[in-house]
Amino acid sequence: MRRTIRGWVGLIVGIAAAVPAGAQPPNYDEAKVPEYRLPDPLLTQAGEKVTTPRQWWSIRRPEILKLFSEQMYGRAPQPPRPIRYRQRVIDSKALGGKATFLNVTIWLLGEQDGPSMEVLLVIPNAAPRPVPAFVGMNFRGNASTHPHPGIPLSKSWMRASRGGEVVDHKMTEKARGSASSRWPFEQIAQRGYAVATVYYGDVDPDFDDGFQNGIHPWFYRDGQRRPEADQWGSIAAWAWGLSRVMDYLERQPLIDAKHVAVMGHSRLGKTALWAGATDPRFAIVISNDSGCGGAALSRRRYGETVKRINTSFPHWFCENFKQYNDREDEMPFDQHMLISLIAPRPVLVCSAEEDRWADPRGEFLSCRHADPVYRLLGTDGLAATKMPAIHQPVLSTVGYHIRAGKHDVTSLDWKTYCDFADRHWKRGGGSGASQ
Ligand code: GTR
């Protein structure tokens, strides 16, 4: 690959920005991965071996859920009841007549004078009703997912961008369609799936302000200034937002709410896993390049580490998680146990070869070590003992795929998600394993 001078300067600046002063450079050498012992998902805190599904559901799963809730993502509050939303058709002949675009406002506290989020719902017109769906958050506002002029621009705070898509932390027209390669609606509609997407910043803006903005303060008790050490950080708040989308989908007759897959990329992949772990209504869970704090085992300390993530993004996890900076071996959990919380529902972990920061092998190993729980619950678990080669998806109940390329969501990724859903929901009449 040839680089221009600007390219080189950008690369050097990028590397410098990725390694804050005084920070350990990330380890990318497999030989330097420390030896570690993972906690056994099938051993209770009292030291009892879990040998029956009953023990799993009544003892061990609640223990693991409590650990992740109180020591990593943080406890989230109860949802509002009843839920309140308003929907409006943007275009019933979008995608050249192939889909209907709806805009849905969901009031997060069930009150119209409280905070709200906007959902873009894309329903394929030709698919038999009710339609199964993917739900996922986006990074740049719903209007970034497709160039359609009718999708409202987000008014929420947005992270700065280089190309003028975001000015003064607000989305501009320039951002319209800018993330469409990550949201191939036509391809997904063709496969018979709807998509619901929401801008994550509608629930909580992604920067560390001590939890003064976003959804958190709405739940403070009198005099409370920030979440307690075991209360929700931003990832748990985004996951809670995904559950609110599910509340709505359960009331939308065009959608088959029993067949909804939650997916997310990167920090939103961490979010999708936590949403899937906490909300069993998500029938399939898909993480894309979720890495540290997502599918990757923390104890490997390969690429991003617990200390690094807690330092760069102090708002993502609850305060208690910081006690494990540089002390991964003391964690009574690791990310294979997050995957196990989703059992026996199908989970698909997707990695990218060049995305070493997210530790693809560590993501695979989480799947591997969640397998005993999936088998205990009567599924086929993960049908691979070794990490598969590039572009050889393993689509068993615990699925794993690694593709060539970088940290991103591509149309091949979406093909894999659809193949996975087809297989587990017995759709499309095929094995779903085709390339
Ligand atoms: C990185 C972060 C990763 C991942 C990624 C993203 O900066 O270190 O954990 O979440 O951002 O979300 O794009």
Side-chain angles (χ1 to χ4, degrees):
M1 178 176 51
R2 285 193 55 180
R3 256 180 229 284
T4 59
I5 294 191
R6 253 183 91 177
W8 279 111
V9 171
L11 184 72
I12 291 161
V13 169
I15 291 170
V19 185
Q24 287 261 348
N27 175 41
Y28 290 131
D29 182 351
E30 199 57 42
K32 293 200 181 123
V33 169
E35 269 188 40
Y36 58 86
R37 268 183 72 137
L38 291 176
D40 184 346
L42 292 178
L43 194 66
T44 70
Q45 284 168 346
E48 208 179 310
K49 191 80 198 139
V50 174
T51 54
T52 64
R54 207 194 144 117
Q55 283 172 298
W56 169 257
W57 291 113
S58 63
I59 306 171
R60 188 55 174 150
R61 188 180 189 278
E63 279 180 5
I64 297 175
L65 187 60
K66 191 165 152 56
L67 286 172
F68 279 108
S69 302
E70 295 178 356
Q71 300 198 29
M72 187 165 182
Y73 301 99
R75 293 184 293 112
Q78 289 301 311
R81 292 282 182 263
I83 77 150
R84 189 153 292 147
Y85 59 89
R86 184 176 56 210
Q87 44 188 346
R88 158 179 87 73
V89 174
I90 295 172
D91 187 350
S92 58
K93 295 199 168 55
L95 307 182
K98 293 196 194 100
T100 297
F101 281 9
L102 290 173
N103 188 77
V104 188
T105 305
I106 299 177
W107 282 279
L108 294 170
L109 303 179
E111 306 289 344
Q112 297 208 6
D113 53 0
S116 62
M117 67 184 177
E118 304 286 308
V119 177
L120 170 66
L121 180 58
V122 177
I123 307 178
N125 288 335
R129 269 66 168 124
V131 188
F134 290 97
V135 180
M137 286 185 149
N138 63 70
F139 285 88
R140 291 276 175 214
N142 297 347
S144 73
T145 65
H146 193 273
H148 194 295
I151 308 173
L153 286 187
S154 171
K155 297 191 184 74
S156 300
W157 183 95
M158 206 166 276
R159 287 189 296 145
S161 74
R162 288 200 190 112
E165 294 91 350
V166 178
V167 173
D168 290 338
H169 294 292
K170 291 283 177 237
M171 182 176 195
T172 72
E173 272 298 330
K174 216 172 163 190
R176 193 176 288 286
S178 58
S180 56
S181 67
R182 289 182 172 188
W183 299 93
F185 291 142
E186 237 166 285
Q187 174 190 337
I188 304 164
Q190 197 85 39
R191 298 286 300 257
Y193 291 98
V195 180
T197 185
V198 52
Y199 172 53
Y200 77 139
D202 281 3
V203 180
D204 188 28
D206 189 4
F207 69 98
D208 179 26
D209 71 333
F211 298 105
Q212 299 314 300
N213 62 20
I215 192 68
H216 297 86
W218 294 90
F219 286 91
Y220 291 162
R221 48 168 208 283
D222 273 355
Q224 188 175 1
R225 290 282 167 82
R226 58 176 299 135
E228 304 294 343
D230 66 348
Q231 284 183 329
W232 55 346
S234 293
I235 290 177
W238 299 325
W240 183 91
L242 284 166
S243 288
R244 306 293 69 80
V245 180
M246 191 69 211
D247 295 343
Y248 158 73
L249 292 177
E250 284 187 314
R251 288 163 178 78
Q252 168 50 270
L254 295 176
I255 297 295
D256 176 359
K258 296 266 175 272
H259 294 96
V260 171
V262 63
M263 73 72 61
H265 170 61
S266 205
R267 67 198 68 184
L268 297 177
K270 311 179 208 299
T271 302
L273 288 170
W274 185 235
T278 49
D279 191 337
R281 293 175 299 173
F282 293 117
I284 283 181
V285 181
I286 301 171
S287 106
N288 197 75
D289 305 350
S290 61
C292 180
L297 290 177
S298 302
R299 279 172 173 75
R300 278 172 49 82
R301 289 154 266 200
Y302 184 103
E304 190 169 30
T305 62
V306 168
K307 183 175 180 188
R308 269 302 275 286
I309 205 165
N310 277 333
T311 308
S312 315
F313 307 101
H315 57 297
W316 282 4
F317 302 93
C318 73
E319 203 54 32
N320 278 343
F321 191 48
K322 296 187 177 136
Q323 69 185 297
Y324 298 114
N325 288 352
D326 283 334
R327 302 167 79 143
E328 289 85 349
D329 293 312
E330 291 168 37
M331 293 167 57
F333 52 88
D334 209 320
Q335 300 308 104
H336 62 309
M337 288 159 68
L338 175 65
I339 308 278
S340 78
L341 286 176
I342 298 162
R345 288 166 290 146
V347 59
L348 175 65
V349 171
C350 296
S351 311
E353 189 184 19
E354 290 172 34
D355 188 13
R356 296 185 306 161
W357 183 240
D359 186 14
R361 179 169 295 278
E363 298 195 311
F364 170 76
L365 288 172
S366 269
C367 295
R368 192 61 251 129
H369 294 289
D371 168 272
V373 177
Y374 271 83
R375 287 188 191 263
L376 179 75
L377 299 182
T379 78
D380 58 347
L382 174 70
T385 46
K386 288 212 193 79
M387 190 156 164
I390 305 294
H391 300 164
Q392 301 294 319
V394 178
L395 299 182
S396 40
T397 307
V398 181
Y400 180 80
H401 184 222
I402 177 162
R403 63 156 169 79
K406 59 184 178 62
H407 188 73
D408 198 1
V409 189
T410 68
S411 95
L412 176 65
D413 291 325
W414 276 101
K415 179 187 180 302
T416 311
Y417 311 158
C418 291
D419 288 348
F420 188 73
D422 278 2
R423 167 177 284 207
H424 292 284
W425 291 338
K426 303 193 173 38
R427 293 164 42 84
S431 69
S434 59
Q435 277 293 305

